[in-house]
Amino acid sequence: MTEKTIDLPALGSMAADCGFTVTAALDVATLRVMPEVRDMCASDRCGHYGRSWSCPPACGSLEEMERRIRRYSRGILVQTVGELEDSFDWEGMQETKTRHDTAFRRLWQVLLEPYPGLTALGAGCCELCSACAWPEPCRFPDRRMVSMEACGLFVSQVCRENGVKYNYGPDRIAYTSCFLLV
Ligand code: SF4
């Protein structure tokens, strides 16, 4: 592997071994940090805004996110796609989210060896601890998961511009994360 290139077949195989359904190349130029996405976080529909080190405002400013993202040019998008009984199948959604988070943490560990400087951006709030330590210091700052949305990224746009399906219809759900590698 040379600088600024990635071996997508090898990465796809690693991601599949960790449990992901889909892996695709990510052009970091398609990541656009948008204040509107942060505004959606601030509406606090998920109940985590201002209550976790992984969520705004504690996770860092959009300017910091932008500076960090611009250090990279290539990465991968990973998805976990799960079946639902119907569009109200909350248990099915939770089960798929749990599978996604497990695969995400596995792949994060695997990728740290070839890419020690990577940035991992997950889906949703960090749930490593049963209750976040906020406002006390984060218990595991090296393993704290910040989501794509918390970085101001509009996930459906990122998927679309990298050739990845986002909406799988009423009977399936997809969770999406990314790793910025080089
Ligand atoms: S590692 Fe624990 S304390 Fe740190 S952000 Fe995640 S849940 Fe909160």
Side-chain angles (χ1 to χ4, degrees):
M1 251 179 274
T2 57
E3 208 184 353
K4 304 294 180 189
T5 65
I6 58 169
D7 182 345
L8 188 61
L11 290 164
S13 172
M14 288 180 204
D17 287 346
C18 290
F20 286 113
T21 320
V22 174
T23 306
L26 169 67
D27 177 359
V28 178
T30 64
L31 300 184
R32 290 196 282 281
V33 172
M34 299 185 214
E36 306 90 283
V37 181
R38 270 287 172 94
D39 293 344
M40 286 190 259
C41 286
S43 69
D44 196 25
R45 285 194 308 174
C46 68
H48 295 297
Y49 185 84
R51 297 180 186 86
S52 168
W53 287 110
S54 75
C55 295
C59 64
S61 69
L62 286 184
E63 291 72 24
E64 287 167 327
M65 301 295 186
E66 178 84 43
R67 276 198 296 278
R68 181 159 193 168
I69 287 170
R70 296 302 152 222
R71 298 208 302 249
Y72 302 89
S73 60
R74 308 294 303 167
I76 53 171
L77 275 175
V78 285
Q79 268 184 344
T80 308
V81 182
E83 305 288 330
L84 301 177
E85 286 178 11
D86 53 47
S87 49
F88 301 101
D89 180 6
W90 177 247
E91 274 185 23
M93 291 177 204
Q94 278 303 111
E95 188 268 332
T96 308
K97 173 71 164 60
T98 300
R99 282 199 292 122
H100 183 78
D101 286 353
T102 302
F104 179 79
R105 291 206 176 269
R106 278 187 194 143
L107 186 59
W108 190 351
Q109 275 304 115
V110 170
L111 290 176
L112 273 175
E113 192 179 334
Y115 302 102
L118 67 77
T119 286
L121 300 177
C125 186
C126 179
E127 294 178 341
L128 190 60
C129 310
S130 52
C132 186
W134 189 92
E136 298 303 316
C138 173
R139 297 184 190 97
F140 307 103
D142 293 345
R143 297 165 65 199
R144 178 184 68 136
M145 185 190 81
V146 174
S147 71
M148 293 178 69
E149 291 90 344
C151 288
L153 303 174
F154 200 40
V155 178
S156 60
Q157 169 259 315
V158 175
C159 286
R160 187 177 62 250
E161 294 190 19
N162 288 280
V164 173
K165 200 166 164 178
Y166 176 75
N167 189 339
Y168 288 77
D171 298 333
R172 290 203 283 173
I173 187 161
Y175 291 92
T176 306
S177 296
C178 67
F179 293 89
L180 313 185
L181 300 175
V182 292

PDB file of all heavy atoms in Angstrom, residues 130-160:
ATOM      1  N   SER A 130     -22.124   1.848  30.224  1.00  0.00           N
ATOM      2  CA  SER A 130     -23.575   1.747  30.369  1.00  0.00           C
ATOM      3  C   SER A 130     -24.190   3.133  30.576  1.00  0.00           C
ATOM      4  O   SER A 130     -25.312   3.397  30.162  1.00  0.00           O
ATOM      5  CB  SER A 130     -23.947   0.803  31.508  1.00  0.00           C
ATOM      6  OG  SER A 130     -23.262   1.179  32.667  1.00  0.00           O
ATOM      7  N   ALA A 131     -23.425   4.038  31.225  1.00  0.00           N
ATOM      8  CA  ALA A 131     -23.843   5.441  31.319  1.00  0.00           C
ATOM      9  C   ALA A 131     -22.588   6.290  31.094  1.00  0.00           C
ATOM     10  O   ALA A 131     -21.553   6.025  31.707  1.00  0.00           O
ATOM     11  CB  ALA A 131     -24.441   5.732  32.683  1.00  0.00           C
ATOM     12  N   CYS A 132     -22.687   7.268  30.213  1.00  0.00           N
ATOM     13  CA  CYS A 132     -21.515   8.108  29.927  1.00  0.00           C
ATOM     14  C   CYS A 132     -21.077   8.841  31.199  1.00  0.00           C
ATOM     15  O   CYS A 132     -21.907   9.246  32.019  1.00  0.00           O
ATOM     16  CB  CYS A 132     -21.853   9.122  28.833  1.00  0.00           C
ATOM     17  SG  CYS A 132     -20.402  10.080  28.309  1.00  0.00           S
ATOM     18  N   ALA A 133     -19.770   9.010  31.340  1.00  0.00           N
ATOM     19  CA  ALA A 133     -19.227   9.667  32.535  1.00  0.00           C
ATOM     20  C   ALA A 133     -19.479  11.168  32.544  1.00  0.00           C
ATOM     21  O   ALA A 133     -19.310  11.814  33.581  1.00  0.00           O
ATOM     22  CB  ALA A 133     -17.727   9.415  32.623  1.00  0.00           C
ATOM     23  N   TRP A 134     -19.876  11.749  31.412  1.00  0.00           N
ATOM     24  CA  TRP A 134     -20.073  13.199  31.323  1.00  0.00           C
ATOM     25  C   TRP A 134     -20.947  13.703  32.477  1.00  0.00           C
ATOM     26  O   TRP A 134     -21.952  13.058  32.763  1.00  0.00           O
ATOM     27  CB  TRP A 134     -20.743  13.537  29.978  1.00  0.00           C
ATOM     28  CG  TRP A 134     -20.794  15.001  29.718  1.00  0.00           C
ATOM     29  CD1 TRP A 134     -19.892  15.759  29.061  1.00  0.00           C
ATOM     30  CD2 TRP A 134     -21.845  15.900  30.137  1.00  0.00           C
ATOM     31  NE1 TRP A 134     -20.288  17.051  29.033  1.00  0.00           N
ATOM     32  CE2 TRP A 134     -21.478  17.180  29.684  1.00  0.00           C
ATOM     33  CE3 TRP A 134     -23.033  15.742  30.857  1.00  0.00           C
ATOM     34  CZ2 TRP A 134     -22.270  18.294  29.916  1.00  0.00           C
ATOM     35  CZ3 TRP A 134     -23.822  16.854  31.099  1.00  0.00           C
ATOM     36  CH2 TRP A 134     -23.432  18.109  30.623  1.00  0.00           C
ATOM     37  N   PRO A 135     -20.599  14.801  33.142  1.00  0.00           N
ATOM     38  CA  PRO A 135     -19.506  15.745  32.850  1.00  0.00           C
ATOM     39  C   PRO A 135     -18.173  15.385  33.512  1.00  0.00           C
ATOM     40  O   PRO A 135     -17.237  16.162  33.394  1.00  0.00           O
ATOM     41  CB  PRO A 135     -20.037  17.071  33.413  1.00  0.00           C
ATOM     42  CG  PRO A 135     -20.881  16.642  34.585  1.00  0.00           C
ATOM     43  CD  PRO A 135     -21.496  15.321  34.193  1.00  0.00           C
ATOM     44  N   GLU A 136     -18.096  14.244  34.182  1.00  0.00           N
ATOM     45  CA  GLU A 136     -16.791  13.784  34.674  1.00  0.00           C
ATOM     46  C   GLU A 136     -15.967  13.345  33.467  1.00  0.00           C
ATOM     47  O   GLU A 136     -16.530  13.059  32.401  1.00  0.00           O
ATOM     48  CB  GLU A 136     -16.989  12.615  35.654  1.00  0.00           C
ATOM     49  CG  GLU A 136     -17.793  12.964  36.895  1.00  0.00           C
ATOM     50  CD  GLU A 136     -17.183  14.114  37.664  1.00  0.00           C
ATOM     51  OE1 GLU A 136     -15.953  14.111  37.829  1.00  0.00           O
ATOM     52  OE2 GLU A 136     -17.923  15.015  38.083  1.00  0.00           O
ATOM     53  N   PRO A 137     -14.635  13.245  33.587  1.00  0.00           N
ATOM     54  CA  PRO A 137     -13.815  12.906  32.409  1.00  0.00           C
ATOM     55  C   PRO A 137     -14.219  11.571  31.774  1.00  0.00           C
ATOM     56  O   PRO A 137     -14.621  10.635  32.475  1.00  0.00           O
ATOM     57  CB  PRO A 137     -12.398  12.821  32.998  1.00  0.00           C
ATOM     58  CG  PRO A 137     -12.434  13.672  34.219  1.00  0.00           C
ATOM     59  CD  PRO A 137     -13.825  13.541  34.777  1.00  0.00           C
ATOM     60  N   CYS A 138     -14.104  11.510  30.446  1.00  0.00           N
ATOM     61  CA  CYS A 138     -14.392  10.280  29.694  1.00  0.00           C
ATOM     62  C   CYS A 138     -13.499   9.154  30.229  1.00  0.00           C
ATOM     63  O   CYS A 138     -12.307   9.343  30.440  1.00  0.00           O
ATOM     64  CB  CYS A 138     -14.110  10.522  28.211  1.00  0.00           C
ATOM     65  SG  CYS A 138     -14.231   9.048  27.186  1.00  0.00           S
ATOM     66  N   ARG A 139     -14.099   7.979  30.437  1.00  0.00           N
ATOM     67  CA  ARG A 139     -13.337   6.858  31.004  1.00  0.00           C
ATOM     68  C   ARG A 139     -12.358   6.258  29.991  1.00  0.00           C
ATOM     69  O   ARG A 139     -11.325   5.714  30.360  1.00  0.00           O
ATOM     70  CB  ARG A 139     -14.297   5.748  31.459  1.00  0.00           C
ATOM     71  CG  ARG A 139     -15.226   6.170  32.570  1.00  0.00           C
ATOM     72  CD  ARG A 139     -16.084   5.003  33.044  1.00  0.00           C
ATOM     73  NE  ARG A 139     -17.113   5.481  33.940  1.00  0.00           N
ATOM     74  CZ  ARG A 139     -18.370   5.760  33.577  1.00  0.00           C
ATOM     75  NH1 ARG A 139     -18.737   5.583  32.326  1.00  0.00           N
ATOM     76  NH2 ARG A 139     -19.237   6.209  34.452  1.00  0.00           N
ATOM     77  N   PHE A 140     -12.686   6.307  28.706  1.00  0.00           N
ATOM     78  CA  PHE A 140     -11.851   5.668  27.683  1.00  0.00           C
ATOM     79  C   PHE A 140     -11.691   6.620  26.490  1.00  0.00           C
ATOM     80  O   PHE A 140     -12.245   6.367  25.411  1.00  0.00           O
ATOM     81  CB  PHE A 140     -12.493   4.351  27.207  1.00  0.00           C
ATOM     82  CG  PHE A 140     -12.827   3.409  28.317  1.00  0.00           C
ATOM     83  CD1 PHE A 140     -14.139   3.262  28.756  1.00  0.00           C
ATOM     84  CD2 PHE A 140     -11.836   2.663  28.933  1.00  0.00           C
ATOM     85  CE1 PHE A 140     -14.466   2.396  29.794  1.00  0.00           C
ATOM     86  CE2 PHE A 140     -12.136   1.790  29.968  1.00  0.00           C
ATOM     87  CZ  PHE A 140     -13.463   1.659  30.402  1.00  0.00           C
ATOM     88  N   PRO A 141     -10.931   7.723  26.665  1.00  0.00           N
ATOM     89  CA  PRO A 141     -10.869   8.711  25.573  1.00  0.00           C
ATOM     90  C   PRO A 141     -10.357   8.144  24.253  1.00  0.00           C
ATOM     91  O   PRO A 141     -10.771   8.607  23.184  1.00  0.00           O
ATOM     92  CB  PRO A 141      -9.920   9.793  26.124  1.00  0.00           C
ATOM     93  CG  PRO A 141      -9.364   9.272  27.400  1.00  0.00           C
ATOM     94  CD  PRO A 141     -10.189   8.119  27.862  1.00  0.00           C
ATOM     95  N   ASP A 142      -9.494   7.110  24.293  1.00  0.00           N
ATOM     96  CA  ASP A 142      -8.998   6.520  23.043  1.00  0.00           C
ATOM     97  C   ASP A 142     -10.048   5.679  22.335  1.00  0.00           C
ATOM     98  O   ASP A 142      -9.876   5.318  21.173  1.00  0.00           O
ATOM     99  CB  ASP A 142      -7.775   5.621  23.316  1.00  0.00           C
ATOM    100  CG  ASP A 142      -6.582   6.420  23.785  1.00  0.00           C
ATOM    101  OD1 ASP A 142      -6.602   7.654  23.632  1.00  0.00           O
ATOM    102  OD2 ASP A 142      -5.637   5.800  24.323  1.00  0.00           O
ATOM    103  N   ARG A 143     -11.102   5.319  23.054  1.00  0.00           N
ATOM    104  CA  ARG A 143     -12.139   4.458  22.465  1.00  0.00           C
ATOM    105  C   ARG A 143     -13.477   5.171  22.370  1.00  0.00           C
ATOM    106  O   ARG A 143     -14.490   4.561  22.017  1.00  0.00           O
ATOM    107  CB  ARG A 143     -12.268   3.167  23.288  1.00  0.00           C
ATOM    108  CG  ARG A 143     -10.983   2.354  23.255  1.00  0.00           C
ATOM    109  CD  ARG A 143     -10.971   1.284  24.334  1.00  0.00           C
ATOM    110  NE  ARG A 143     -11.999   0.286  24.121  1.00  0.00           N
ATOM    111  CZ  ARG A 143     -12.461  -0.538  25.072  1.00  0.00           C
ATOM    112  NH1 ARG A 143     -11.981  -0.451  26.298  1.00  0.00           N
ATOM    113  NH2 ARG A 143     -13.385  -1.412  24.807  1.00  0.00           N
ATOM    114  N   ARG A 144     -13.484   6.441  22.694  1.00  0.00           N
ATOM    115  CA  ARG A 144     -14.711   7.230  22.602  1.00  0.00           C
ATOM    116  C   ARG A 144     -15.157   7.274  21.132  1.00  0.00           C
ATOM    117  O   ARG A 144     -14.352   7.575  20.254  1.00  0.00           O
ATOM    118  CB  ARG A 144     -14.418   8.652  23.090  1.00  0.00           C
ATOM    119  CG  ARG A 144     -15.578   9.594  23.009  1.00  0.00           C
ATOM    120  CD  ARG A 144     -15.162  10.983  23.426  1.00  0.00           C
ATOM    121  NE  ARG A 144     -14.239  11.587  22.473  1.00  0.00           N
ATOM    122  CZ  ARG A 144     -14.302  12.844  22.035  1.00  0.00           C
ATOM    123  NH1 ARG A 144     -15.225  13.661  22.491  1.00  0.00           N
ATOM    124  NH2 ARG A 144     -13.428  13.308  21.173  1.00  0.00           N
ATOM    125  N   MET A 145     -16.410   6.964  20.865  1.00  0.00           N
ATOM    126  CA  MET A 145     -16.905   6.967  19.492  1.00  0.00           C
ATOM    127  C   MET A 145     -17.699   8.243  19.211  1.00  0.00           C
ATOM    128  O   MET A 145     -18.672   8.518  19.915  1.00  0.00           O
ATOM    129  CB  MET A 145     -17.809   5.765  19.256  1.00  0.00           C
ATOM    130  CG  MET A 145     -18.260   5.640  17.816  1.00  0.00           C
ATOM    131  SD  MET A 145     -19.536   4.384  17.644  1.00  0.00           S
ATOM    132  CE  MET A 145     -20.994   5.294  18.150  1.00  0.00           C
ATOM    133  N   VAL A 146     -17.254   9.010  18.229  1.00  0.00           N
ATOM    134  CA  VAL A 146     -17.991  10.199  17.786  1.00  0.00           C
ATOM    135  C   VAL A 146     -18.683   9.834  16.479  1.00  0.00           C
ATOM    136  O   VAL A 146     -18.104   9.165  15.621  1.00  0.00           O
ATOM    137  CB  VAL A 146     -17.035  11.397  17.610  1.00  0.00           C
ATOM    138  CG1 VAL A 146     -17.767  12.590  17.021  1.00  0.00           C
ATOM    139  CG2 VAL A 146     -16.407  11.763  18.947  1.00  0.00           C
ATOM    140  N   SER A 147     -19.916  10.242  16.331  1.00  0.00           N
ATOM    141  CA  SER A 147     -20.671   9.829  15.139  1.00  0.00           C
ATOM    142  C   SER A 147     -20.408  10.763  13.955  1.00  0.00           C
ATOM    143  O   SER A 147     -19.956  11.893  14.115  1.00  0.00           O
ATOM    144  CB  SER A 147     -22.167   9.817  15.451  1.00  0.00           C
ATOM    145  OG  SER A 147     -22.645  11.141  15.590  1.00  0.00           O
ATOM    146  N   MET A 148     -20.766  10.259  12.765  1.00  0.00           N
ATOM    147  CA  MET A 148     -20.673  11.087  11.565  1.00  0.00           C
ATOM    148  C   MET A 148     -21.564  12.317  11.727  1.00  0.00           C
ATOM    149  O   MET A 148     -21.171  13.431  11.380  1.00  0.00           O
ATOM    150  CB  MET A 148     -21.089  10.278  10.331  1.00  0.00           C
ATOM    151  CG  MET A 148     -20.121   9.144   9.984  1.00  0.00           C
ATOM    152  SD  MET A 148     -20.642   8.163   8.551  1.00  0.00           S
ATOM    153  CE  MET A 148     -20.422   9.337   7.197  1.00  0.00           C
ATOM    154  N   GLU A 149     -22.758  12.121  12.280  1.00  0.00           N
ATOM    155  CA  GLU A 149     -23.683  13.243  12.444  1.00  0.00           C
ATOM    156  C   GLU A 149     -23.120  14.298  13.396  1.00  0.00           C
ATOM    157  O   GLU A 149     -23.255  15.493  13.155  1.00  0.00           O
ATOM    158  CB  GLU A 149     -25.029  12.760  12.990  1.00  0.00           C
ATOM    159  CG  GLU A 149     -25.839  11.929  12.026  1.00  0.00           C
ATOM    160  CD  GLU A 149     -25.541  10.440  12.144  1.00  0.00           C
ATOM    161  OE1 GLU A 149     -24.500  10.079  12.748  1.00  0.00           O
ATOM    162  OE2 GLU A 149     -26.334   9.647  11.607  1.00  0.00           O
ATOM    163  N   ALA A 150     -22.468  13.842  14.480  1.00  0.00           N
ATOM    164  CA  ALA A 150     -21.900  14.794  15.439  1.00  0.00           C
ATOM    165  C   ALA A 150     -20.815  15.645  14.787  1.00  0.00           C
ATOM    166  O   ALA A 150     -20.525  16.752  15.235  1.00  0.00           O
ATOM    167  CB  ALA A 150     -21.338  14.048  16.649  1.00  0.00           C
ATOM    168  N   CYS A 151     -20.210  15.117  13.707  1.00  0.00           N
ATOM    169  CA  CYS A 151     -19.207  15.886  12.952  1.00  0.00           C
ATOM    170  C   CYS A 151     -19.857  16.816  11.940  1.00  0.00           C
ATOM    171  O   CYS A 151     -19.158  17.454  11.148  1.00  0.00           O
ATOM    172  CB  CYS A 151     -18.276  14.938  12.204  1.00  0.00           C
ATOM    173  SG  CYS A 151     -17.151  14.089  13.285  1.00  0.00           S
ATOM    174  N   GLY A 152     -21.183  16.841  11.919  1.00  0.00           N
ATOM    175  CA  GLY A 152     -21.880  17.711  10.964  1.00  0.00           C
ATOM    176  C   GLY A 152     -22.008  17.091   9.584  1.00  0.00           C
ATOM    177  O   GLY A 152     -22.244  17.796   8.599  1.00  0.00           O
ATOM    178  N   LEU A 153     -21.862  15.764   9.499  1.00  0.00           N
ATOM    179  CA  LEU A 153     -21.941  15.095   8.190  1.00  0.00           C
ATOM    180  C   LEU A 153     -23.360  14.581   7.951  1.00  0.00           C
ATOM    181  O   LEU A 153     -23.968  13.990   8.855  1.00  0.00           O
ATOM    182  CB  LEU A 153     -20.952  13.929   8.129  1.00  0.00           C
ATOM    183  CG  LEU A 153     -19.494  14.315   8.391  1.00  0.00           C
ATOM    184  CD1 LEU A 153     -18.616  13.070   8.464  1.00  0.00           C
ATOM    185  CD2 LEU A 153     -18.994  15.275   7.320  1.00  0.00           C
ATOM    186  N   PHE A 154     -23.835  14.807   6.743  1.00  0.00           N
ATOM    187  CA  PHE A 154     -25.171  14.357   6.346  1.00  0.00           C
ATOM    188  C   PHE A 154     -24.982  12.985   5.700  1.00  0.00           C
ATOM    189  O   PHE A 154     -24.510  12.876   4.557  1.00  0.00           O
ATOM    190  CB  PHE A 154     -25.763  15.382   5.384  1.00  0.00           C
ATOM    191  CG  PHE A 154     -27.249  15.316   5.251  1.00  0.00           C
ATOM    192  CD1 PHE A 154     -28.071  15.100   6.348  1.00  0.00           C
ATOM    193  CD2 PHE A 154     -27.842  15.504   4.015  1.00  0.00           C
ATOM    194  CE1 PHE A 154     -29.447  15.044   6.218  1.00  0.00           C
ATOM    195  CE2 PHE A 154     -29.222  15.458   3.867  1.00  0.00           C
ATOM    196  CZ  PHE A 154     -30.017  15.222   4.978  1.00  0.00           C
ATOM    197  N   VAL A 155     -25.328  11.940   6.426  1.00  0.00           N
ATOM    198  CA  VAL A 155     -24.911  10.588   6.034  1.00  0.00           C
ATOM    199  C   VAL A 155     -25.495  10.177   4.675  1.00  0.00           C
ATOM    200  O   VAL A 155     -24.803   9.550   3.864  1.00  0.00           O
ATOM    201  CB  VAL A 155     -25.277   9.564   7.142  1.00  0.00           C
ATOM    202  CG1 VAL A 155     -24.892   8.157   6.728  1.00  0.00           C
ATOM    203  CG2 VAL A 155     -24.579   9.938   8.445  1.00  0.00           C
ATOM    204  N   SER A 156     -26.745  10.530   4.414  1.00  0.00           N
ATOM    205  CA  SER A 156     -27.338  10.122   3.129  1.00  0.00           C
ATOM    206  C   SER A 156     -26.592  10.762   1.960  1.00  0.00           C
ATOM    207  O   SER A 156     -26.382  10.129   0.921  1.00  0.00           O
ATOM    208  CB  SER A 156     -28.827  10.471   3.087  1.00  0.00           C
ATOM    209  OG  SER A 156     -29.012  11.860   3.234  1.00  0.00           O
ATOM    210  N   GLN A 157     -26.156  12.012   2.113  1.00  0.00           N
ATOM    211  CA  GLN A 157     -25.389  12.676   1.040  1.00  0.00           C
ATOM    212  C   GLN A 157     -24.033  12.004   0.854  1.00  0.00           C
ATOM    213  O   GLN A 157     -23.582  11.778  -0.288  1.00  0.00           O
ATOM    214  CB  GLN A 157     -25.233  14.163   1.393  1.00  0.00           C
ATOM    215  CG  GLN A 157     -24.248  14.935   0.531  1.00  0.00           C
ATOM    216  CD  GLN A 157     -22.899  15.125   1.235  1.00  0.00           C
ATOM    217  OE1 GLN A 157     -22.856  15.480   2.416  1.00  0.00           O
ATOM    218  NE2 GLN A 157     -21.812  14.892   0.538  1.00  0.00           N
ATOM    219  N   VAL A 158     -23.387  11.661   1.958  1.00  0.00           N
ATOM    220  CA  VAL A 158     -22.076  10.994   1.868  1.00  0.00           C
ATOM    221  C   VAL A 158     -22.233   9.648   1.157  1.00  0.00           C
ATOM    222  O   VAL A 158     -21.442   9.300   0.271  1.00  0.00           O
ATOM    223  CB  VAL A 158     -21.458  10.806   3.276  1.00  0.00           C
ATOM    224  CG1 VAL A 158     -20.166  10.011   3.192  1.00  0.00           C
ATOM    225  CG2 VAL A 158     -21.213  12.158   3.938  1.00  0.00           C
ATOM    226  N   CYS A 159     -23.272   8.908   1.526  1.00  0.00           N
ATOM    227  CA  CYS A 159     -23.506   7.615   0.869  1.00  0.00           C
ATOM    228  C   CYS A 159     -23.734   7.825  -0.632  1.00  0.00           C
ATOM    229  O   CYS A 159     -23.110   7.159  -1.465  1.00  0.00           O
ATOM    230  CB  CYS A 159     -24.718   6.914   1.492  1.00  0.00           C
ATOM    231  SG  CYS A 159     -24.391   6.228   3.113  1.00  0.00           S
ATOM    232  N   ARG A 160     -24.639   8.744  -0.957  1.00  0.00           N
ATOM    233  CA  ARG A 160     -24.985   8.965  -2.369  1.00  0.00           C
ATOM    234  C   ARG A 160     -23.740   9.317  -3.189  1.00  0.00           C
ATOM    235  O   ARG A 160     -23.514   8.756  -4.262  1.00  0.00           O
ATOM    236  CB  ARG A 160     -26.025  10.091  -2.462  1.00  0.00           C
ATOM    237  CG  ARG A 160     -26.590  10.295  -3.856  1.00  0.00           C
ATOM    238  CD  ARG A 160     -27.664  11.357  -3.889  1.00  0.00           C
ATOM    239  NE  ARG A 160     -27.166  12.668  -3.503  1.00  0.00           N
ATOM    240  CZ  ARG A 160     -27.487  13.296  -2.366  1.00  0.00           C
ATOM    241  NH1 ARG A 160     -28.318  12.742  -1.518  1.00  0.00           N
ATOM    242  NH2 ARG A 160     -26.983  14.488  -2.087  1.00  0.00           N
TER     243      ARG A 160
END
